Amino acid sequence: MRLPFILRGIVALALTAASTMASAQQAADAAQIAVEAARKYSGQTLNMTWPGGVGALDPKLHTVPLFEKLTGVKVNVIEAPPPEMFPKIMVEHRARTGAYDVVSMIPSWLADLASAGAIEPLDGFVKKYKFGAELAQIEPAYRDSQMKWDGKIFGIPDDGDVLILYYRKDLFGDPANRSAFKAKYGYELAPPKTWQQFSEIGNFFTDRYAPKLYGAGMIRRASLLHYFFQERFRNEGGRFFDPASMKSTVNSDIGIKVLAGMVADQKFMPPGSQDWGVPESLNGWLSGNLAMTLWWPPVGRWSEGLQAGEKAMAFVPRSQIAGKVGYALPPGGRPELALGWSLAVASSSKKKELAYLFIQFANSEQVSIDRVQLPYSLRDPFRSSHFSSPQYRALWPTAGEYLDLLKSAAQTALPDLSIRNTFQYEESLIRALQRASSGVSPKVCLDDLAKEWDAITQRTGVDKQREAYKIWASSPNAYPKK
């Protein structure tokens, strides 16, 4: 089922065809330029970090074999769990071993890696290999917040991660449900616009259908929960720091209200779901046991069963809800660009130009349109052409609605906090959320968190951190505009 567009990519990029097609009528595209330039390095090997397991299937099964076939360059994919990747990259940078060439990174690490000199500025390569026009086609939310640090290009967006709301259209459209809901709450049953509505709708479905079906369920494992907190906190008007003093304001009244609300919502979610990770949340949603969930874009494809028959996707349960799923912005209307991935060149690499050429190839318009459609790639639309692709929009009946919603989400989405030592701030936040889910008062958890954040700021240097925060907060969508 996937062979046609994989073969199309190979055929379109074959160098003999490329040299013929790049005539006076049409200039070579970014992928062709990268392939032609990389051929002179044929026989060499690149080392590339990548999130392990399912996350590495895209490069191992598709992108790397295609690049190797076209250039003669070998790419060694070095897998690691995401929480281990940042420390490994920093250790290698300090040791200057040259062990990594291409670095796959979460965009929130950009400030740390760029300010530490661990990754290479790419502006010169972008200009030399004429990639600027294609970079301009990346949706502004990804381009503006995930590509540059202090005015220079350090990372090339590689993934359109954004949290959106999925809901059961059949349940929301059922006349009996609609009548009963309006009688109880006084407004029409529809995807929630506020967190209060989310709670009311969640309680309604749980009261009406449990234990067969619950109002909502999602990932609640603390290692990912901080993305949901960051989104909700800012949508409710919260700010992470006072920009003048750099004192943490995460324990404001808004922060306490948000965390208390997250804890209270658990009451209408399935028993035991406070410990749900990726597998449990996927099973709860795809089995038809939930009316709503908040998740990353792959769930849109998996809900329609596009992964069925793919051996690499055996971890995803077969969908029982195909044709029944609707898409909406999360409550508050400003979703989180949660997690995501970018590609960078390690500053200690001895093959920087070749490393850059692989990145340009992988993220070119021509290659990336195939990557974001692979059921196993965990890479999601981030270019304007991805959202408008006739091929993608024909994958299932409501694929156009899905892509339109993702595009709308990207236009107003909130980037993850990205300052110096972001990794430490996130670890501290994760611990606070974990304590709250185990029954500790949200106020106590956030008061302790604020003290920990202030200590991290002091160790980092208040002046240095103030400047880093100023750069991050100046990005267009760092905070919702009132």
Side-chain angles (χ1 to χ4, degrees):
M1 183 176 178
R2 303 292 169 234
L3 284 178
F5 65 79
I6 294 175
L7 291 176
R8 176 174 58 79
I10 293 174
V11 172
L13 285 169
L15 289 173
T16 53
S19 61
T20 302
M21 292 170 60
S23 62
Q25 297 177 348
Q26 141 180 348
D29 69 11
Q32 292 168 339
I33 291 171
V35 165
E36 291 167 3
R39 285 196 75 211
K40 67 184 178 185
Y41 297 102
S42 180
Q44 295 193 27
T45 299
L46 284 174
N47 290 323
M48 178 172 69
T49 65
W50 207 272
V54 176
L57 293 178
D58 162 29
K60 291 169 69 175
L61 299 182
H62 177 72
T63 310
V64 164
L66 181 56
F67 186 73
E68 291 178 340
K69 178 181 178 66
L70 296 172
T71 65
V73 173
K74 179 175 174 54
V75 182
N76 181 30
V77 181
I78 303 171
E79 298 181 52
E84 297 179 12
M85 292 177 68
F86 177 79
K88 286 177 180 290
I89 294 168
M90 290 301 293
V91 167
E92 190 286 322
H93 166 61
R94 295 186 183 107
R96 307 297 293 177
T97 64
Y100 302 146
D101 301 302
V102 178
V103 171
S104 183
M105 65 177 184
I106 296 174
S108 62
W109 304 342
L110 178 61
D112 265 331
L113 296 178
S115 60
I119 53 179
E120 190 76 6
L122 302 179
D123 301 79
F125 291 133
V126 168
K127 182 178 180 180
K128 180 178 180 180
Y129 292 107
K130 302 178 175 61
F131 199 31
E134 287 204 10
L135 289 181
Q137 298 170 11
I138 295 173
E139 277 297 312
Y142 301 109
R143 188 179 68 237
D144 296 343
S145 66
Q146 300 183 352
M147 193 166 76
K148 291 186 177 182
W149 180 255
D150 203 15
K152 296 179 182 178
I153 298 173
F154 283 94
I156 305 298
D158 191 52
D159 183 20
D161 266 353
V162 63
L163 294 175
I164 65 171
L165 178 79
Y166 298 92
Y167 67 96
R168 288 278 299 277
K169 291 191 298 184
D170 55 331
L171 295 172
F172 275 71
D174 179 82
N177 286 341
R178 295 179 64 83
S179 176
F181 182 85
K182 188 169 185 180
K184 183 170 184 178
Y185 292 104
Y187 60 94
E188 299 291 340
L189 178 59
K193 301 290 188 183
T194 67
W195 286 105
Q196 180 178 340
Q197 290 180 0
F198 179 79
S199 177
E200 290 170 349
I201 294 169
N203 277 298
F204 170 78
F205 280 116
T206 295
D207 292 343
R208 194 167 176 85
Y209 289 101
K212 181 180 178 181
L213 178 139
Y214 290 85
M218 62 194 72
I219 292 173
R220 304 299 271 184
R221 195 160 291 165
S223 59
L224 291 170
L225 190 56
H226 64 293
Y227 296 115
F228 297 85
F229 177 84
Q230 284 196 45
E231 175 189 281
R232 190 163 171 174
F233 176 66
R234 282 182 284 174
N235 270 292
E236 294 291 307
R239 298 292 185 268
F240 296 119
F241 299 95
D242 179 286
S245 67
M246 283 306 295
K247 284 283 189 181
S248 171
T249 53
V250 74
N251 62 334
S252 63
D253 290 344
I254 292 173
I256 295 167
K257 174 188 172 183
V258 165
L259 185 51
M262 293 175 70
V263 172
D265 286 349
Q266 196 60 48
K267 295 176 182 177
F268 59 78
M269 297 181 183
S273 62
Q274 69 273 9
D275 297 319
W276 276 9
V278 170
E280 296 87 355
S281 65
L282 282 177
N283 184 66
W285 173 247
L286 295 174
S287 65
N289 293 334
L290 304 172
M292 299 181 291
T293 193
L294 285 160
W295 235 90
W296 285 264
V299 157
R301 305 191 295 272
W302 298 342
S303 295
E304 302 304 321
L306 295 193
Q307 83 284 0
E310 295 276 357
K311 291 183 180 179
M313 298 298 293
F315 79 99
V316 179
R318 284 186 175 269
S319 176
Q320 306 300 315
I321 54 174
K324 301 177 181 179
V325 178
Y327 324 104
L329 295 176
R334 302 295 299 272
E336 182 89 2
L337 292 177
L339 200 61
W341 294 95
S342 298
L343 295 181
V345 174
S347 62
S348 59
S349 168
K350 298 175 176 61
K351 303 168 185 175
K352 293 176 184 176
E353 184 167 67
L354 179 56
Y356 169 79
L357 290 170
F358 174 83
I359 293 172
Q360 176 166 313
F361 169 81
N363 284 286
S364 64
E365 181 176 12
Q366 188 173 357
V367 175
S368 64
I369 188 59
D370 286 349
R371 293 178 63 214
V372 298
Q373 293 179 74
L374 293 169
Y376 53 76
S377 72
L378 301 189
R379 290 297 179 262
D380 303 301
F382 58 90
R383 287 181 169 277
S384 56
S385 58
H386 296 167
F387 300 110
S388 62
S389 165
Q391 181 185 24
Y392 203 148
R393 297 177 78 88
L395 284 180
W396 71 90
T398 57
E401 297 175 22
Y402 164 80
L403 290 169
D404 289 344
L405 191 279
L406 290 184
K407 181 179 177 68
S408 175
Q411 290 174 342
T412 61
L414 306 168
D416 297 336
L417 179 65
S418 178
I419 55 178
R420 292 172 182 263
N421 286 322
T422 298
F423 197 72
Q424 293 183 28
Y425 289 101
E426 288 183 342
E427 285 188 320
S428 182
L429 175 55
I430 287 169
R431 288 193 299 272
L433 298 176
Q434 211 161 18
R435 292 177 67 204
S437 67
S438 67
V440 180
S441 159
K443 180 176 178 4
V444 170
C445 293
L446 292 182
D447 283 346
D448 290 345
L449 174 65
K451 293 175 184 177
E452 290 184 22
W453 275 24
D454 288 344
I456 296 170
T457 301
Q458 288 293 329
R459 291 195 300 270
T460 304
V462 174
D463 291 339
K464 287 182 179 180
Q465 196 64 293
R466 183 186 295 108
E467 181 60 26
Y469 183 62
K470 180 180 178 181
I471 293 172
W472 174 81
S474 68
S475 62
N477 289 344
Y479 289 112
K481 293 179 176 60
K482 294 182 180 180

XYZ file of all heavy atoms in Angstrom, residues 188-236:
421
model
N -25.068 23.475 23.998
C -25.014 22.367 23.049
C -23.785 21.498 23.277
O -22.697 21.999 23.597
C -25.000 22.899 21.604
C -26.231 23.700 21.216
C -27.482 22.849 21.124
O -27.361 21.609 20.987
O -28.594 23.427 21.187
N -23.963 20.210 23.075
C -22.847 19.276 23.170
C -21.968 19.437 21.932
O -22.402 19.209 20.803
C -23.374 17.842 23.262
C -22.321 16.722 23.330
C -21.409 16.902 24.538
C -23.017 15.358 23.388
N -20.725 19.833 22.139
C -19.783 20.073 21.049
C -18.374 19.975 21.635
O -18.202 19.978 22.863
C -20.012 21.451 20.433
N -17.344 19.861 20.796
C -15.982 19.823 21.326
C -15.735 20.993 22.269
O -16.094 22.128 21.959
C -15.113 19.926 20.060
C -15.955 19.330 18.987
C -17.361 19.727 19.326
N -15.160 20.753 23.430
C -15.024 21.798 24.455
C -14.104 22.939 24.041
O -13.025 22.716 23.495
C -14.436 21.038 25.647
C -13.745 19.847 25.045
C -14.568 19.470 23.861
N -14.533 24.148 24.331
C -13.729 25.340 24.073
C -12.933 25.757 25.308
O -11.944 26.486 25.194
C -14.628 26.510 23.646
C -15.443 26.249 22.396
C -14.588 26.206 21.153
C -15.446 26.137 19.899
N -14.608 26.014 18.669
N -13.392 25.350 26.480
C -12.719 25.699 27.729
C -12.482 24.426 28.531
O -13.088 23.383 28.278
C -13.576 26.654 28.571
O -14.765 25.959 29.016
C -13.982 27.875 27.757
N -11.626 24.529 29.557
C -11.364 23.359 30.386
C -12.550 23.033 31.279
O -12.740 21.886 31.669
C -10.088 23.571 31.192
C -8.878 23.438 30.301
C -8.092 24.437 29.826
C -8.376 22.228 29.740
N -7.122 23.926 29.002
C -7.259 22.582 28.942
C -8.734 20.885 29.841
C -6.512 21.626 28.236
C -8.000 19.937 29.144
C -6.895 20.308 28.355
N -13.349 24.034 31.619
C -14.575 23.749 32.370
C -15.515 22.903 31.526
O -16.110 21.932 32.011
C -15.269 25.049 32.793
C -16.554 24.793 33.583
C -17.226 26.066 34.059
O -16.588 27.116 34.128
N -18.512 25.986 34.373
N -15.662 23.248 30.246
C -16.495 22.452 29.353
C -15.921 21.042 29.188
O -16.658 20.057 29.146
C -16.616 23.130 27.984
C -17.444 24.393 27.998
C -17.544 25.024 26.616
O -16.987 24.522 25.631
N -18.253 26.146 26.531
N -14.614 20.940 29.098
C -13.973 19.630 28.998
C -14.351 18.752 30.187
O -14.700 17.576 30.033
C -12.453 19.806 28.938
C -11.663 18.525 28.862
C -11.533 17.829 27.666
C -11.039 18.013 29.996
C -10.800 16.652 27.600
C -10.299 16.839 29.936
C -10.183 16.155 28.734
N -14.317 19.345 31.373
C -14.670 18.615 32.583
C -16.144 18.230 32.584
O -16.504 17.092 32.929
C -14.343 19.466 33.813
O -14.737 18.817 35.002
N -17.004 19.156 32.194
C -18.446 18.870 32.182
C -18.788 17.785 31.167
O -19.569 16.864 31.452
C -19.218 20.153 31.892
C -19.156 21.160 33.043
C -19.713 22.523 32.692
O -19.976 22.775 31.490
O -19.880 23.342 33.619
N -18.189 17.858 29.989
C -18.445 16.846 28.961
C -17.881 15.501 29.393
O -18.520 14.451 29.219
C -17.851 17.293 27.616
C -18.592 18.524 27.101
C -17.921 16.168 26.584
C -17.928 19.205 25.915
N -16.683 15.527 29.972
C -16.085 14.281 30.449
C -16.938 13.613 31.509
O -17.176 12.395 31.458
N -17.419 14.393 32.474
C -18.280 13.839 33.519
C -19.595 13.319 32.941
O -20.110 12.278 33.375
C -18.557 14.900 34.586
C -17.447 14.995 35.610
O -17.168 14.045 36.330
N -16.791 16.152 35.659
N -20.126 14.028 31.951
C -21.395 13.614 31.343
C -21.281 12.222 30.722
O -22.111 11.342 30.984
C -21.810 14.627 30.276
C -22.979 14.186 29.431
C -24.281 14.268 29.917
C -22.784 13.666 28.155
C -25.356 13.848 29.143
C -23.852 13.247 27.372
C -25.145 13.333 27.873
N -20.271 12.008 29.920
C -20.141 10.713 29.250
C -19.807 9.588 30.239
O -20.298 8.468 30.109
C -19.084 10.784 28.147
C -19.583 11.402 26.873
C -19.053 12.599 26.410
C -20.587 10.796 26.134
C -19.512 13.171 25.223
C -21.058 11.361 24.950
C -20.525 12.554 24.493
N -18.987 9.898 31.237
C -18.670 8.871 32.237
C -19.914 8.490 33.029
O -20.192 7.299 33.247
C -17.559 9.370 33.171
O -16.357 9.548 32.397
C -17.288 8.376 34.284
N -20.665 9.486 33.472
C -21.892 9.202 34.222
C -22.884 8.390 33.388
O -23.618 7.542 33.910
C -22.553 10.507 34.666
C -21.750 11.251 35.718
O -20.861 10.630 36.331
O -22.007 12.459 35.917
N -22.891 8.614 32.099
C -23.891 8.001 31.216
C -23.482 6.607 30.743
O -24.341 5.742 30.545
C -24.102 8.925 30.010
C -25.334 8.614 29.157
C -25.585 9.779 28.204
N -26.678 9.543 27.284
C -27.954 9.762 27.542
N -28.295 10.233 28.730
N -28.896 9.528 26.634
N -22.163 6.363 30.591
C -21.734 5.130 29.926
C -20.788 4.243 30.735
O -20.594 3.078 30.374
C -21.042 5.470 28.602
C -21.959 5.974 27.527
C -22.045 7.343 27.252
C -22.733 5.101 26.783
C -22.876 7.825 26.252
C -23.568 5.569 25.769
C -23.637 6.933 25.511
O -24.456 7.392 24.517
N -20.149 4.739 31.774
C -19.165 3.929 32.502
C -19.837 2.680 33.091
O -21.005 2.740 33.487
C -18.519 4.758 33.608
N -19.128 1.564 33.138
C -17.710 1.371 32.833
C -17.417 0.986 31.378
O -16.276 0.686 31.032
C -17.323 0.223 33.757
C -18.564 -0.620 33.791
C -19.726 0.352 33.753
N -18.426 0.992 30.522
C -18.188 0.645 29.120
C -17.379 1.728 28.423
O -16.516 1.424 27.577
C -19.524 0.449 28.397
C -19.388 0.052 26.941
C -20.761 -0.124 26.296
C -20.636 -0.476 24.817
N -21.965 -0.633 24.162
N -17.660 2.979 28.745
C -16.985 4.102 28.091
C -16.841 5.239 29.091
O -17.723 5.449 29.933
C -17.804 4.555 26.872
C -17.286 5.764 26.086
C -17.437 5.530 24.588
C -18.041 7.049 26.477
N -15.714 5.971 28.978
C -15.438 7.093 29.880
C -15.305 8.386 29.072
O -15.023 8.370 27.870
C -14.158 6.829 30.679
C -14.325 5.727 31.695
C -14.155 4.391 31.320
C -14.683 6.009 33.009
C -14.332 3.367 32.242
C -14.858 4.990 33.942
C -14.688 3.674 33.554
O -14.864 2.664 34.464
N -15.494 9.494 29.764
C -15.521 10.786 29.096
C -14.230 11.164 28.399
O -14.236 11.800 27.347
N -13.096 10.784 28.985
C -11.803 11.112 28.378
C -10.726 10.239 29.002
O -10.928 9.627 30.059
C -11.458 12.590 28.559
N -9.608 10.204 28.356
C -8.428 9.518 28.851
C -7.261 9.920 27.979
O -7.434 10.203 26.792
N -6.099 9.980 28.569
C -4.914 10.417 27.803
C -3.664 9.992 28.541
O -3.727 9.404 29.621
C -4.938 11.932 27.612
C -4.879 12.717 28.913
S -5.300 14.460 28.707
C -7.057 14.359 28.433
N -2.533 10.287 27.954
C -1.267 10.006 28.616
C -1.191 10.804 29.915
O -1.370 12.025 29.910
C -0.086 10.374 27.708
C -0.028 9.435 26.487
C 1.234 10.318 28.476
C 1.005 9.839 25.459
N -0.947 10.119 31.010
C -0.818 10.809 32.301
C 0.521 10.497 32.965
O 0.797 10.991 34.052
C -1.950 10.388 33.258
C -3.344 10.595 32.710
C -3.634 12.039 32.403
N -4.178 12.761 33.540
C -4.580 14.030 33.495
N -4.477 14.693 32.366
N -5.071 14.620 34.552
N 1.316 9.658 32.326
C 2.634 9.353 32.884
C 3.447 10.638 32.931
O 3.510 11.395 31.968
C 3.340 8.299 32.037
C 4.541 7.674 32.731
C 4.888 6.343 32.105
N 3.859 5.333 32.397
C 3.768 4.177 31.745
N 4.606 3.887 30.780
N 2.825 3.314 32.075
N 4.094 10.871 34.048
C 4.700 12.174 34.315
C 5.763 12.561 33.302
O 5.989 13.740 33.052
C 5.289 12.194 35.719
N 6.428 11.597 32.680
C 7.503 11.931 31.750
C 7.003 12.683 30.522
O 7.786 13.307 29.801
C 8.227 10.657 31.307
O 7.328 9.765 30.682
N 5.699 12.648 30.259
C 5.118 13.400 29.143
C 4.065 14.408 29.596
O 3.672 15.278 28.825
C 4.483 12.430 28.129
C 5.452 11.546 27.345
C 4.696 10.475 26.580
C 6.301 12.380 26.389
N 3.625 14.306 30.835
C 2.527 15.142 31.317
C 2.885 16.618 31.360
O 2.010 17.478 31.287
C 2.091 14.656 32.705
C 0.805 15.244 33.291
C -0.378 15.027 32.358
C 0.531 14.636 34.664
N 4.184 16.926 31.446
C 4.569 18.333 31.556
C 4.213 19.134 30.304
O 4.023 20.346 30.371
C 6.056 18.470 31.873
C 6.990 17.962 30.823
N 7.102 16.638 30.509
C 7.851 18.611 30.004
C 8.013 16.488 29.559
N 8.473 17.672 29.227
N 4.095 18.456 29.150
C 3.677 19.172 27.943
C 2.228 19.623 28.067
O 1.876 20.732 27.669
C 3.845 18.284 26.711
C 5.269 17.913 26.429
C 5.702 16.592 26.505
C 6.206 18.889 26.086
C 7.019 16.248 26.248
C 7.521 18.551 25.831
C 7.922 17.226 25.910
O 9.227 16.891 25.654
N 1.382 18.773 28.644
C -0.030 19.120 28.829
C -0.178 20.254 29.841
O -1.033 21.128 29.692
C -0.813 17.887 29.283
C -0.828 16.765 28.277
C 0.201 15.844 28.223
C -1.870 16.635 27.370
C 0.195 14.815 27.300
C -1.889 15.615 26.438
C -0.855 14.700 26.399
N 0.680 20.234 30.874
C 0.634 21.316 31.861
C 1.066 22.633 31.239
O 0.436 23.681 31.448
C 1.521 20.987 33.060
C 1.581 22.097 34.077
C 0.595 22.223 35.044
C 2.605 23.036 34.049
C 0.629 23.261 35.972
C 2.651 24.079 34.972
C 1.658 24.187 35.939
N 2.169 22.625 30.486
C 2.649 23.855 29.854
C 1.563 24.487 28.988
O 1.370 25.708 29.001
C 3.876 23.572 28.975
C 5.167 23.352 29.717
C 6.370 23.465 28.796
O 6.470 24.377 27.978
N 7.295 22.524 28.912
N 0.846 23.664 28.224
C -0.204 24.173 27.354
C -1.333 24.813 28.159
O -1.715 25.962 27.919
C -0.754 23.046 26.494
C -1.943 23.448 25.626
C -2.598 22.250 24.961
O -2.061 21.780 23.947
O -3.648 21.788 25.466
N -1.856 24.068 29.110
C -3.014 24.533 29.878
C -2.662 25.750 30.722
O -3.455 26.698 30.829
C -3.522 23.386 30.747
C -4.848 23.623 31.416
C -5.425 22.291 31.891
N -6.608 22.470 32.722
C -7.367 21.460 33.166
N -7.067 20.217 32.845
N -8.424 21.695 33.932
N -1.480 25.755 31.297
C -1.012 26.846 32.139
C -0.971 28.155 31.358
O -1.465 29.198 31.810
C 0.377 26.486 32.676
C 1.052 27.551 33.496
C 0.540 27.948 34.716
C 2.226 28.134 33.049
C 1.173 28.911 35.480
C 2.875 29.107 33.808
C 2.350 29.496 35.019
N -0.433 28.128 30.154
C -0.331 29.359 29.365
C -1.677 29.788 28.795
O -1.960 30.980 28.694
C 0.704 29.176 28.244
C 2.124 29.284 28.752
C 3.136 29.160 27.652
N 3.304 27.784 27.220
C 4.058 27.416 26.187
N 4.676 28.330 25.452
N 4.197 26.140 25.869
N -2.503 28.823 28.409
C -3.829 29.177 27.917
C -4.667 29.862 28.985
O -5.531 30.694 28.675
C -4.556 27.928 27.406
C -4.310 27.667 25.934
O -4.760 28.428 25.084
N -3.585 26.607 25.621
N -4.418 29.512 30.246
C -5.159 30.131 31.341
C -4.540 31.462 31.778
O -5.045 32.121 32.688
C -5.203 29.177 32.535
C -5.994 27.892 32.291
C -7.484 28.144 32.159
O -8.063 28.777 33.044
O -8.067 27.716 31.146
